[in-house]
Amino acid sequence: MSENVNNTGMHELNSYTCELAGSNMISAGAGTGKTYNIQILVLREILMGTPIEKILVVTFTELATQELQDRIRRILQNALRICDCLVKHGAFTRDALKNFDDGAAILADKTLEQALPCFGLVDDPAKTLPPNERPKSLDDIAEKKRLLENAVRNFDDAPISTIHGFCNRMLKENTFESGIRYGLELRNSCKALVKSLLCDFYRDFCHKSNNARRFLLLKLLKYTPSGIIADRKELLGNADARINWGDDIPETVCADALSGSAELKAIEDAPIWERFPRALQKVSDEELDAFCLETKFKKDTAVFFREIGDDRWLLYAYDELENKVKTKDKPSSKKVVSENMSQEAQELHAAYLEAFAPAQLQTQEAETKKLPEGSIPWLLDKYRRIILQLAAAYVKKELANAKETEGFMTFEDLLIVLKNRVECANGEEFRKIIRDRFDCVMIDEFQDTDHTQSTIFKRLFAGNDDESQKRLLIMIGDEKQAIYKFRGGDVQTFQKMTGTAKNKYTLKKNFRSTRDFINAMNDFWLNKCEGKFFAPAEIKFEKIEVGTGSDKCLVDKRDGRIPSGQTLLSRNHQEDKSVVFQELAKEILELKNNYCKATQKDDGANEYEPIKFKDIAILVRTKTNVDEIRRILHSNDIPSVFMQSQSVFKTDECKWMLDFIDAILDPGNQSKALRMLSCGLFGFSASQIECINERYLANLQSFLKEMNALWHRKSFF
């Protein structure tokens, strides 16, 4: 293990030498090679004898899951290729392998350099495996080959998935132990249903109450069904979302008391709503003039409020205040009381301050000061939060009834059900089944896990008992990339788990960005911001180092200069676009023949690579020019591939493969066999299919049955 330690007490991770046991936290920023290191750790586990089915890898998105699957499959295949060569020549050392042409080719192949250290085939001491993992004989190589063959053969069973995929798999595989209802439909979301329930709540809460004050306050808050939905968006994704309602709001409000909540009624019946216009009615015209002069309140507005005389003035007052606050001529919040004032004038000033001064505070200084308790803005804010809590309670109750009646659950429900099951007092058997299922657990993007997700992993795999210390638990994340707070992501969970981890590592070399960009980032965060930017303050910015191969640039082979960008435009916009495309083809040939890629190594020297056609991309605004561009490229002997933006699964070739696989999976189904023959892979016409006799069809189905058996026996291997 590397002894390079940063100022947070974390060791720099060496995925070839680190211990494969206990709980480990890896703090890894963007571009530092998280996936690269996960591959190596998975390969080491497999070569140590852990079956691929017992290595759990969890990440945050489907896209990241797909990338991990592809990368892990590739390194296993590369490792198997190395093993085949070692077994073929009876060699298990670097010196012995390089005596053979194909062995020397493997040692020089950069696509295999990640797997070579796992067989002791590198001279770099930093990539030397622990003694117990190094192959010591040909028998060791043969055993590692067997382990790799099993891993590749069973790769389709590898539990590499999102957190929701993991929960779904555990609940389905352990239906009886989990206690989950059989046959539930799994829906992606129930946003439409939640929106409908919020509309139902608004109708029940507002229109069935026949409460004029409630109508007015809802209008003042601009609360319509869409307004409530906009203010509680988190309920659309998770009806059980944890919401901070404020210290003055109880944890729960009975959803059945929609029209009779004592707190709501107390706010609605408060005399403050009519106090200001009633005070305006009590003063004389002279006192009203003096009031407007002292407070800079508009005379015509005050007269208008005096004529209204009830709570309807609120709808105009707060619009008026909002407009005034934006100007220098805002209402004064200074308390003006004179001995010469009448009792009525003093009451008017008090009512004015009670109504308007806190509103200015709310508009201008809400981040630094609290609203005065009992003021109109304070009451409105509390009223709003109670309504929203009632809405949340209503949705939670009615959504649970709908799920029970319609027999469905959402992906968020998977998390909640699994969390409740692993936390319950009689869930030890269920927890043990899942623990025994995995010997290695890796969780990527851990900074984005919410309370529910982190509780699941903590109860299942984190602990101080001997069993937990033997199991490898790796949590990978970066506090500075925690961007999913709006979905419940809790960066404090990451910090707590970091504190309890047995080993703490960091990845500080960035292999994605250029040297100049990394230096600029370090200067900005460490010097300009002095590292004091993130909240909470415990999150520190660590200096980023430049990784090998990240500093690439385009260099002219003739004079070593770095070219500037060029704009290829037709002189005449009416001219045929083909002229521009011809210039584009010439530029590509110029790049291919006269330029190269330069990479600055750690010692300052440059390493040069030739430019290949696959290194060059052409972006088009629309598909209308693609055929013409490709025709011109082809005429200049430039190969090209059109990378469509649509998914590969929507292509005709994928549909043909699906027909083929359907026929293999159900070899007794004649219609599927005939549909397979009609697809583009085989190209049978309708007349040809009509002429197929029963004997030919029987032979075809027999062949498909053999393919089915081969599929179940060997999968893709």
Side-chain angles (χ1 to χ4, degrees), residues 22-39:
S23 60
N24 303 266
M25 179 62 77
I26 302 175
S27 179
T32 54
K34 291 184 293 182
T35 306
Y36 180 93
N37 285 279
I38 289 174
Q39 288 175 268

Side-chain angles (χ1 to χ4, degrees), residues 196-325:
S196 175
L197 291 175
L198 285 172
C199 291
D200 292 344
F201 164 80
Y202 183 85
R203 182 179 61 251
D204 292 346
F205 177 77
C206 183
H207 292 284
K208 290 185 178 180
S209 66
N210 197 26
N211 185 325
R213 178 67 54 75
R214 180 170 296 179
F215 272 103
L216 183 139
L217 295 180
L218 287 173
K219 189 173 182 180
L220 188 62
L221 290 169
K222 297 181 173 62
Y223 263 10
T224 60
S226 59
I228 294 178
I229 292 171
D231 221 348
R232 277 285 76 91
K233 287 182 179 178
E234 59 267 56
L235 293 177
L236 301 183
N238 179 12
D240 293 293
R242 302 177 74 191
I243 301 171
N244 181 12
W245 302 105
D247 296 336
D248 55 331
I249 305 293
E251 281 295 319
T252 57
V253 174
C254 180
D256 294 328
L258 293 179
S259 59
S261 168
E263 290 180 271
L264 284 180
K265 186 170 177 54
I267 293 174
E268 291 167 350
D269 293 344
I272 192 172
W273 308 117
E274 298 179 359
R275 189 172 293 158
F276 181 60
R278 296 287 171 83
L280 286 170
Q281 292 176 336
K282 293 180 181 179
V283 297
S284 65
D285 292 341
E286 292 77 11
E287 289 174 321
L288 181 60
D289 291 337
F291 164 78
C292 292
L293 182 65
E294 292 165 353
T295 61
K296 299 181 181 180
F297 200 86
K298 285 186 176 181
K299 174 69 178 294
D300 54 349
T301 302
V303 172
F304 177 57
F305 289 167
R306 172 196 269 183
E307 292 174 352
I308 292 177
D310 57 26
D311 55 14
R312 290 174 296 164
W313 72 277
L314 290 163
L315 299 176
Y316 304 95
Y318 277 83
D319 284 339
E320 174 69 16
L321 177 68
E322 186 178 358
N323 294 333
K324 293 282 268 182
V325 166

